[in-house]
Amino acid sequence: MNTQTAPSPQFYLTAPAACPYLPNEMERKVFTHMVGERAPELNDLLTQGGFRRSQNIAYRPACETCRACISVRILANEFKPTRSMRRVLAANHDVISAEYPAEPSSEQYNLFRRYLDRRHQKGGMSDMSVLDYAMMVEDTHVHTKIIEYRLRVEGDGVSEKARGPLIAAALTDRMGDGLSMVYSFFDPTQEERSLGTFMILDHIRRARERGLPHVYLGYWVKGSRKMGYKTKFLPQEHLMARGWERYEGGDTTLEAAPTKTG
């Protein structure tokens, strides 16, 4: 009888590099690979511990002098939309969302490319090819879906497969305690719809329907304007030095949870 246990994951530390969010800061990351039968369990544990997933790699900041990156998760069952969020829902009453296996399509990539070219021309993903996009979607050993958002066209029913144009998409992991939004993108010409906000609201709805308490948004980077939207979905929890702590708004003054690499 083989009683040998599965090997523990090995963690690695990246070399220092310029921070993409804060000027004059250097970032380092600790990361590990998530493959095999234990990957879904490991994804749950690491996400709850402040890690994020990119393909089959889980990572989190391990910066030497900065703790600006704070893991955020929305308390889905307690969430109440603000007046502006209700306006976003009303503005997108003609959008149908549907969940599919994590399989890429040329339509998705074309939308992804337009999104990057308009919103992230100088970002680290700006030169991603169609093969890179396919790997981002397909290279997963966890419970991953892609959620498409399409405009309703005449003849579409609530439960029918939408046939209208694709205007947004989200790559999403389902975990034991919530949904984790790995990456989302949308039509940059549809700014009046606030599709980024709409997708988060839709994930909150989906989490509630599944009886899942959390929606994980990744990192709120304190001091980065482009990350400020993440703290608008209240109540939520932030991963601090003493664990997950409730956040109702205002400033987070406690130190974020440190990363242990040993």
Side-chain angles (χ1 to χ4, degrees):
M1 180 178 178
N2 184 7
T3 59
Q4 186 176 7
T5 59
S8 299
Q10 300 297 307
F11 291 86
Y12 307 91
L13 190 63
T14 65
C19 176
Y21 300 109
L22 299 177
N24 304 318
E25 293 287 352
M26 301 295 289
E27 73 166 0
R28 300 189 77 177
K29 296 176 181 176
V30 60
F31 69 94
T32 189
H33 295 276
M34 294 190 299
V35 295
E37 295 180 355
R38 293 187 60 204
E41 175 189 357
L42 185 60
N43 188 44
D44 278 25
L45 292 172
L46 291 178
T47 302
Q48 291 161 7
F51 280 72
R52 291 289 284 166
R53 183 181 73 81
S54 177
Q55 296 177 219
N56 64 6
I57 292 175
Y59 67 91
R60 67 164 294 175
C63 306
E64 296 176 357
T65 61
C66 179
R67 294 291 184 270
C69 294
I70 297 175
S71 296
V72 173
R73 66 185 186 188
I74 301 167
L75 297 173
N77 293 328
E78 299 181 51
F79 170 78
K80 293 182 180 179
T82 63
R83 181 179 300 177
S84 64
M85 291 174 185
R86 292 194 294 271
R87 287 197 294 266
V88 170
L89 291 172
N92 291 283
H93 70 280
D94 56 344
V95 175
I96 299 176
S97 64
E99 189 175 290
Y100 300 100
E103 298 173 355
S105 71
S106 57
E107 189 179 19
Q108 291 168 16
Y109 178 71
N110 289 336
L111 177 63
F112 174 72
R113 189 69 263 166
R114 296 199 306 272
Y115 173 77
L116 291 182
D117 291 344
R118 177 70 69 89
R119 301 292 294 263
H120 299 284
Q121 293 179 343
K122 298 181 180 180
M125 303 172 73
S126 61
D127 60 350
M128 285 181 65
S129 68
V130 64
L131 293 179
D132 295 328
Y133 174 77
M135 287 294 291
M136 182 179 79
V137 175
E138 293 180 329
D139 192 5
T140 173
H141 291 251
V142 302
H143 303 305
T144 305
K145 299 290 185 180
I146 191 156
I147 302 174
E148 293 186 347
Y149 298 82
R150 295 180 179 274
L151 291 179
R152 187 189 305 274
V153 296
E154 187 176 352
D156 276 337
V158 174
S159 61
E160 295 177 15
K161 182 177 179 180
R163 295 173 295 171
L166 181 70
I167 62 170
L171 191 64
T172 302
D173 290 347
R174 176 169 179 172
M175 306 184 307
D177 73 332
L179 301 177
S180 177
M181 298 183 69
V182 177
Y183 193 80
S184 60
F185 52 96
F186 52 85
D187 185 345
T189 68
Q190 302 265 355
E191 292 184 0
E192 72 283 355
R193 290 182 175 272
S194 299
L195 288 168
T197 294
F198 178 68
M199 283 190 282
I200 294 175
L201 295 172
D202 183 65
H203 278 69
I204 295 171
R205 176 188 64 81
R206 289 174 177 273
R208 282 177 169 173
E209 290 178 351
R210 290 164 171 78
L212 300 172
H214 303 123
V215 174
Y216 288 84
L217 294 184
Y219 303 115
W220 168 51
V221 183
K222 190 175 181 180
S224 173
R225 289 185 61 187
K226 64 182 179 180
M227 289 293 184
Y229 72 93
K230 294 188 178 184
T231 58
K232 296 179 181 179
F233 299 85
L234 301 173
Q236 60 185 230
E237 290 180 329
H238 292 180
L239 185 58
M240 312 304 289
R242 293 179 292 186
W244 288 99
E245 298 188 3
R246 190 179 182 91
Y247 176 81
E248 297 277 7
D251 191 22
T252 296
T253 57
L254 299 177
E255 184 177 342
T259 301
K260 297 181 179 179
T261 58

